[in-house]
């Protein structure tokens, strides 16, 4: 282990800033991943770089983490024993200020198939530079908690589920999480396979004593049942979409639960959207990836989903929850006529020219309720053709969710990739946004394609673009990462030459 002496994260402001870093010199293991860390306000906290040393026990593998501050100074590192089925980890900062290393990839190569189990997360305390296994709890049907020390194999879990279903006719399902305000929160229900019932939301104090219980779907069946989707929660209220189904009839309401008492603070109907749009408003998947489709402000929660007509995707739906009076405001924009007024080639289902479709890549929520929607023209792979992407399309709406502008960012056609879009960042306290994409463009003189990074800002509703040529040596790969505001982080590596460096590039906005 290569020792890094500074352990206390946050003390680096008095040290010289490092604008570059060689990842190969930070630890002796094989580099298996790196990602940016953000605090609970979505501010850049720093970076975590992970290294693997291979199998170290029957069910263990040795890793090492290195924490970098947002100026790339290494501030903490430590070796640790992770589960043998973990290939790598992805870090995030929880509400306690701890850095959680969550397994991001599975490693099936070192265990037999019957012994495969889900690896657990690890918890880093930045104040002491110590790391421990994350503690999980099971809430049992008899009302007690059980600490989970070692995960069971998938084979064991399947057998237990089969045996329980055979004995009881259902599987008891529960999940437990910690609350920022202190204590725990659990959900439980009985799963009969084709339907569920006996659903409960339960709050516990720090001693795991029940504080309140909210019951719903008590007698649920195949044709008559109730579901709850939690949209947001703070220390005062939990905001949920309640769906009641009676045969083919569906009704939806915004259910607000008082977090201190478990009582209903409000239960008002949700109208103005199709059943499919409301039913899916809490999530947004695109290209098999879940997008972050909501943002919470002091006075409201804003969500963006798909709008449907007879189950066909025809546009976008915005739902805004007012936290002061528990009302909902719902609005839609459709490809035709709303977006087609600015992008004439788009049809009612989001398809554009030559078989390309608008595939949603990201969405940005502004303080006034306006939403930016970024899509990419994408053509899926055919039986004998490669997947392709071309231009990016930015749909900018106003506070009333009316299309204000559509900006097309033209770029070269890319084959064998699902996207040239990279990532985005909010600017100026969430008022503005910047997003990044890459493009291989042909040089008019040499006819060689070169790598260009496109930086696109929307500040005060105005678009601005900056282009940075990225020089890439033969057999070297450059990967951009989120940087501190005003910068982008570039990682350049070549596995054969053991070259793996990161550096900041200043942006002009």
């Amino acid at each position: 282990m290569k020792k890094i002496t500074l352990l206390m994260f946050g003390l680096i402001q008095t040290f010289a800033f490092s604008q570059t870093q060689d990842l190969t010199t930070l630890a002796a293991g094989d580099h298996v991943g790196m990602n940016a860390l953000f605090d609970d306000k979505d501010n850049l906290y720093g970076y975590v770089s992970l290294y693997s040393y291979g199998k170290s026990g029957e069910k263990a593998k040795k890793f090492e983490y290195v924490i970098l501050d947002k100026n790339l100074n290494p501030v903490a590192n430590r070796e640790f024993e992770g589960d043998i089925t973990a290939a790598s980890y992805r870090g995030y900062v929880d509400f306690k200020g701890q850095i959680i290393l969550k397994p991001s990839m599975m490693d099936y190569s070192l265990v037999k198939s019957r012994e495969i189990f889900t690896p657990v997360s690890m918890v880093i305390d930045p104040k002491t530079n110590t790391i421990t296994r994350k503690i999980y709890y099971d809430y049992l049907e008899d009302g007690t908690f059980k600490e989970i020390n070692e995960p069971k194999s998938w084979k064991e879990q399947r057998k237990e589920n089969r045996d329980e279903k055979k004995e009881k006719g259902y599987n008891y399902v529960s999940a437990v999480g910690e609350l920022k305000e202190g204590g725990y929160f659990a959900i439980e229900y009985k799963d009969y396979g084709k339907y569920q019932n006996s659903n409960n939301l339960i709050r516990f104090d720090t001693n795991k004593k029940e504080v309140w219980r909210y019951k719903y779907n008590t007698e649920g069946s195949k044709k008559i049942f109730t579901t709850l989707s939690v949209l947001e929660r703070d220390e005062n209220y939990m905001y949920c979409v309640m769906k009641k189904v009676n045969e083919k009839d569906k009704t939806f309401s915004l259910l607000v639960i008082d977090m201190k008492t478990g009582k209903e603070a409000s239960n008002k109907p949700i109208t103005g959207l199709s059943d499919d749009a409301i039913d899916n408003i809490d999530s947004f998947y695109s290209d098999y990836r879940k997008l972050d489709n909501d943002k919470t402000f002091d006075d409201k929660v804003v969500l963006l989903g798909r709008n449907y007509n007879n189950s066909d995707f025809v546009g976008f739906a915005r739902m805004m929850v007012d936290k002061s009076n528990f009302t909902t405001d719902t609005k839609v924009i459709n490809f035709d006529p709303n977006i087609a007024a600015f992008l004439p080639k788009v049809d009612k289902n989001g398809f554009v020219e030559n078989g390309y479709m608008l595939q949603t890549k990201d969405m940005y929520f502004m303080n006034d309720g306006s939403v930016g929607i970024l899509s990419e023209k994408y053509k899926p792979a055919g039986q004998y053709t490669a997947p392709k992407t071309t231009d990016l399309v930015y749909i900018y709406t106003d506070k009333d969710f009316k299309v204000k502008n559509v900006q097309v960012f033209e770029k070269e056609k890319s084959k064998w990739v699902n996207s040239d879009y990279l990532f985005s960042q909010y600017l100026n306290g969430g008022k503005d946004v910047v997003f990044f994409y890459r493009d291989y463009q042909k040089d008019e003189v040499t006819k060689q394609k070169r790598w260009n990074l496109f930086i696109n800002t929307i500040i005060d509703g105005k678009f601005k673009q900056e282009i940075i040529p990225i020089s890439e040596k033969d057999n070297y790969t450059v990967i951009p990462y989120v940087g501190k505001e005003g910068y982008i982080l570039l990682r350049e590596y070549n596995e054969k030459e053991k070259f793996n460096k990161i550096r900041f590039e200043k942006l002009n906005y």
Side-chain angles (χ1 to χ4, degrees):
M1 178 176 68
K2 300 177 182 180
K3 189 167 181 61
I4 298 170
T5 57
L6 179 60
L7 302 181
M8 291 292 287
F9 200 88
L11 297 182
I12 47 77
Q13 300 301 323
T14 58
F15 289 76
F17 291 158
S18 170
Q19 297 295 301
T20 63
Q21 192 59 251
D22 187 349
L23 296 178
T24 61
T25 65
L26 296 179
D30 294 329
H31 188 257
V32 293
M34 186 191 87
N35 71 270
L37 300 169
F38 299 87
D39 63 19
D40 58 359
K41 302 293 185 184
D42 288 331
N43 298 313
L44 183 65
Y45 181 98
Y47 302 87
V48 59
S49 187
L50 273 300
Y51 302 82
S52 174
Y53 292 90
K55 183 176 180 180
S56 58
E58 185 179 351
K59 291 186 176 182
K61 186 186 292 183
K62 189 165 85 168
F63 293 90
E64 183 174 356
Y65 67 81
V66 178
I67 307 296
L68 308 173
D69 69 14
K70 60 184 179 181
N71 295 299
L72 305 187
N73 295 296
V75 295
N77 73 308
R78 185 171 291 276
E79 295 178 358
F80 66 94
E81 297 287 326
D83 287 323
I84 197 168
T85 51
S88 184
Y89 295 84
R90 186 171 181 84
Y92 67 91
V93 181
D94 71 1
F95 62 79
K96 296 180 180 179
Q98 302 173 133
I99 299 171
I100 310 299
L101 299 182
K102 183 178 181 179
S104 57
M105 290 188 293
M106 292 279 293
D107 182 355
Y108 302 95
S109 65
L110 299 176
V111 292
K112 297 177 181 178
S113 59
R114 66 175 180 272
E115 298 171 345
I116 293 173
F117 61 93
T118 301
V120 303
S121 297
M122 307 296 294
V123 182
I124 301 171
D125 184 344
K127 296 178 181 177
T128 59
N129 192 35
T130 54
I131 183 167
T132 56
R133 292 172 69 84
K134 184 173 175 61
I135 297 174
Y136 296 87
Y137 292 101
D138 248 349
Y139 182 67
L140 306 181
E141 196 169 5
D142 62 8
T144 60
F145 282 81
K146 179 183 177 183
E147 186 174 317
I148 304 172
N149 296 312
E150 294 294 335
K152 295 177 182 177
S153 70
W154 295 353
K155 184 178 180 180
E156 288 178 285
Q157 291 178 27
R158 289 194 296 268
K159 184 179 186 306
E160 286 185 3
N161 288 339
R162 286 195 303 268
D163 292 345
E164 183 185 39
K165 183 75 177 291
K166 186 176 180 181
E167 177 188 350
K168 300 178 180 178
Y170 63 85
N171 286 123
Y172 173 77
V173 181
S174 69
V176 180
E178 282 190 85
L179 295 174
K180 185 177 181 178
E181 306 81 47
Y184 301 86
F185 193 80
I187 61 169
E188 66 171 359
Y189 59 89
K190 294 177 181 178
D191 184 359
Y192 290 86
K194 294 185 178 180
Y195 66 95
Q196 303 168 0
N197 61 30
S198 303
N199 297 67
N200 287 290
L201 305 178
I202 317 166
R203 181 170 183 175
F204 303 88
D205 62 18
T206 53
N207 296 315
K208 303 182 184 69
K209 182 179 178 181
E210 185 174 318
V211 177
W212 55 257
R213 177 184 293 252
Y214 183 84
K215 297 182 179 182
Y216 67 99
N217 195 42
T218 307
E219 303 294 333
S221 63
K222 293 180 185 178
K223 296 183 178 181
I224 302 174
F225 58 90
T226 301
T227 66
L228 272 188
S229 298
V230 178
L231 303 179
E232 184 56 274
R233 186 194 64 78
D234 56 35
E235 61 181 4
N236 297 314
Y237 299 105
M238 178 182 292
Y239 305 87
C240 314
V241 172
M242 173 175 273
K243 177 176 73 171
K244 290 189 175 183
V245 178
N246 188 340
E247 301 283 348
K248 294 183 179 181
D249 294 329
K250 297 179 183 178
T251 59
F252 297 87
S253 62
L254 179 72
L255 172 68
V256 183
I257 299 174
D258 190 308
M259 281 300 294
K260 294 180 175 60
T261 66
K263 305 294 184 182
E264 289 189 10
S266 178
N267 194 350
K268 297 178 181 179
I270 301 174
T271 59
L273 299 176
S274 67
D275 287 352
D276 286 336
I278 302 174
D279 211 2
N280 294 281
I281 198 72
D282 61 327
S283 62
F284 197 115
Y285 286 87
S286 182
D287 191 29
Y288 306 103
R289 187 170 66 93
K290 189 175 188 297
L291 303 185
D292 187 2
N293 73 317
D294 65 89
K295 190 169 183 181
T296 300
F297 300 90
D298 291 339
D299 60 338
K300 59 183 172 287
V301 182
V302 185
L303 302 102
L304 183 76
R306 298 180 188 272
N307 189 34
Y308 293 93
N309 181 22
N310 294 324
S311 300
D312 289 334
F313 173 39
V314 295
F316 302 94
R318 186 195 71 175
M319 187 168 80
M320 198 154 59
V321 177
D322 190 318
K323 295 168 74 173
S324 65
N325 57 21
F326 308 138
T327 58
T328 56
D329 176 79
T330 56
K331 290 192 167 55
V332 301
I333 55 172
N334 289 331
F335 292 116
D336 187 15
N338 308 110
I339 297 171
F342 298 84
L343 192 68
K345 291 184 178 180
V346 69
D347 72 6
K348 65 178 183 178
N349 297 116
F351 283 86
V352 287
E353 66 277 358
N354 301 320
Y356 284 81
M357 59 185 285
L358 292 183
Q359 188 176 76
T360 308
K361 291 301 172 185
D362 212 341
M363 50 197 71
Y364 317 109
F365 301 88
M366 307 306 172
N367 295 320
D368 63 355
S370 60
V371 182
I373 306 166
L374 184 68
S375 299
E376 189 169 22
K377 294 180 181 179
Y378 171 71
K379 190 173 185 177
Q383 186 174 2
Y384 302 106
T385 58
K388 306 176 187 71
T389 65
T390 60
D391 309 336
L392 285 164
V393 178
Y394 187 87
I395 304 161
Y396 189 58
T397 70
D398 63 15
K399 62 183 179 62
D400 297 316
F401 203 55
K402 294 180 179 178
V403 180
K404 189 176 179 180
N405 189 18
V406 173
Q407 182 82 22
V408 177
F409 298 91
E410 295 183 355
K411 61 181 181 67
E412 295 286 328
K413 179 166 60 179
S414 297
K415 292 184 179 181
W416 298 110
V417 294
N418 289 332
S419 179
D420 285 323
Y421 173 66
L422 297 170
F423 49 79
S424 64
Q425 283 177 276
Y426 285 105
L427 304 173
N428 306 320
K431 187 170 67 74
D432 305 305
V433 72
V434 56
F435 64 89
F436 303 81
Y437 68 88
R438 61 189 168 194
D439 193 15
Y440 288 91
Q441 295 190 327
K442 186 178 289 186
D443 188 284
E444 302 232 349
V445 177
T446 65
K447 304 301 180 183
Q448 297 294 315
K449 282 196 172 184
R450 64 180 183 180
W451 206 108
N452 283 338
L453 176 68
F454 288 74
I455 302 101
N456 310 277
T457 55
I458 300 97
I459 298 176
D460 294 328
K462 297 178 181 178
F463 292 92
K464 182 182 176 183
Q465 186 176 83
E466 178 186 356
I467 304 173
I468 298 180
I470 303 296
S471 59
E472 229 179 42
K473 304 175 188 175
D474 290 342
N475 301 318
Y476 279 67
T477 302
V478 175
I479 300 177
Y481 289 82
V482 175
K484 57 187 178 180
E485 192 165 316
Y487 291 83
I488 188 169
L489 181 69
L490 298 177
R491 176 183 165 214
E492 185 176 14
Y493 73 94
N494 181 308
E495 192 171 345
K496 287 185 178 180
E497 297 186 20
K498 303 296 181 183
F499 186 93
N500 196 353
K501 291 186 178 182
I502 53 178
R503 71 180 188 274
F504 279 128
E505 290 284 344
K506 187 167 177 55
L507 306 175
N508 298 315
Y509 58 74

